[in-house]
Amino acid sequence: MTLQEDRLVQIRTFMQEQQFDALALRKVSSFAWATAGHRSYVNTASSDGIGTLVVTADEQFVVTNAIEAPRLDQEEGLGAAGWKLRVSPWYQADNTLAQIVSGKRTGADFAMPGATDVSGALAWQRSHLLPTEGDRFRALGKLCAAAMNEAIHSLTPGMTEHEIAARLAFETERRGAQAIVNLIATDERIFQFRHPIPTHHKLDRYAMLVLCGRQDGLVCSITRLIRFGKLTAELRRKEQVVAQIDGTFILGTRPGRTLGDIFADAQAAYAAGDFADQWQYHHQGGPAAYEPREVIAAPGMTQAVVAGQVYAWNPSITGTKSEDTVLVGAAGNEVLTVIDGWPTIDVTVNGQTIARPAILEL
């Protein structure tokens, strides 16, 4: 079967488990997931797309307006893939969606009258990838790593954070992906903010670049840091500890282990490095797929890791951070965002050794 056919089987199995007759999907991430990577966004800042998918036991529909229908049909190829387009004028209200689900037990990923909100359960479903999506993630990981490497090696002191963000966006987008998260901090701002929106602040000696790149719906995450000059003793110690924590996350993310168990191991690693409270200042990541994180891991969570999932962990200690995207395999994990030639730190966890990115010193 094709990826589209396999995905519809997954969706309909989910519907049976949830006892739904219909499932309505409007989020950009859900649309891409359900259609094997097709695009429903116009405004990239919006979580909702310009079409609503409806899947029933034996049919699948795209409800949209006359502006969007030609592109969804001709460029995205939804009609040829078996989706039935239901098109209305853009300038008047339309009840097509209500008609399709009338009398049906319906789940939805948005607030829909008469439907059950299943956003949480759907997010976990989206994280269960099919083998061909793993291959697509590998390609995206290489793309994002190359974009990050090119951008960070182009930096010079005196550049503003806006200029750095522009470099990162350019290198990502020219390769065919979107920089949907593009966070830049320089010097003292790295120590102040975990989510640093770019500003006019100028780079002096230290910069952090954070990228979430999206292609065909999938989202890959990577962070790298660069220092012009030698690291301080404090930064070098933090760099080592955050690498150890990241290695704990990655090596512990194995099929059957719960998110809560993995998180507890990472908390212990924070404490062992004398930074016991630092995990509280920023989320630590979790499974990724059609959102940068489909689920944010937290203490005590009972969801179990499944082979084929992708995880992006991002432990941080004030002033430094470690983040890559990792594919969980049956025999071991594969880091998808490796930058060849980047300096690394080897850390050992329960007898296993893994290389984690160091801060690049120039």
Side-chain angles (χ1 to χ4, degrees), residues 111-333:
M112 177 180 174
T116 301
D117 187 340
V118 292
S119 299
L122 273 172
W124 185 247
Q125 278 293 310
R126 287 196 303 263
S127 77
H128 289 215
L129 301 173
L130 298 167
T132 53
E133 288 171 307
D135 293 337
R136 285 167 47 203
F137 247 124
R138 286 188 181 94
L140 178 57
K142 291 178 180 178
L143 183 157
C144 290
M148 176 64 75
N149 193 42
E150 191 78 19
I152 210 164
H153 277 94
S154 73
L155 303 190
T156 57
M159 294 177 67
T160 69
E161 292 171 351
H162 286 308
E163 290 173 316
I164 296 169
R167 294 288 180 93
L168 185 56
F170 171 74
E171 294 298 342
T172 303
E173 305 248 354
R174 80 181 183 93
R175 289 172 166 84
Q178 291 178 306
I180 63 170
V181 175
N182 186 347
L183 302 177
I184 309 295
T186 56
D187 301 295
E188 68 271 14
R189 291 190 74 237
I190 302 174
F191 296 83
Q192 294 173 320
F193 309 111
R194 288 318 208 257
H195 283 163
I197 303 298
T199 70
H200 289 292
H201 192 281
K202 291 184 178 181
L203 167 63
D204 180 19
R205 303 188 71 183
Y206 192 30
M208 178 175 72
L209 285 67
V210 181
L211 170 67
C212 292
R214 180 171 67 188
Q215 185 179 58
D216 298 329
L218 297 175
V219 183
C220 195
S221 300
I222 179 174
T223 294
R224 291 294 185 270
L225 296 101
I226 182 172
R227 171 87 174 183
F228 292 89
K230 294 294 184 182
L231 296 182
T232 63
E234 177 193 16
L235 270 180
R236 199 169 297 283
R237 176 169 172 263
K238 288 180 175 180
E239 172 192 50
Q240 182 68 47
V241 175
V242 82
Q244 185 72 37
I245 298 164
D246 200 17
T248 299
F249 268 123
I250 293 171
L251 293 174
T253 305
R254 298 299 300 141
R257 299 204 73 212
T258 69
L259 300 189
D261 290 339
I262 299 164
F263 204 97
D265 289 346
Q267 286 176 299
Y270 271 106
D274 294 327
F275 293 101
D277 64 339
Q278 284 283 309
W279 66 270
Q280 300 176 37
Y281 303 139
H282 187 261
H283 77 74
Q284 302 298 295
Y290 290 87
E291 295 281 358
R293 304 296 187 276
E294 295 289 4
V295 175
I296 299 294
M301 294 181 70
T302 59
Q303 292 99 321
V305 176
V306 176
Q309 283 184 307
V310 163
Y311 281 76
W313 299 110
N314 49 260
S316 61
I317 297 171
T318 301
T320 190
K321 178 185 176 186
S322 187
E323 181 179 30
D324 273 312
T325 301
V326 179
L327 175 64
V328 179
N333 294 344

Side-chain angles (χ1 to χ4, degrees), residues 48-66:
D48 290 340
I50 45 73
T52 301
L53 304 178
V54 183
V55 180
T56 66
D58 54 6
E59 292 182 292
Q60 54 269 3
F61 302 90
V62 183
V63 181
T64 190
N65 63 48

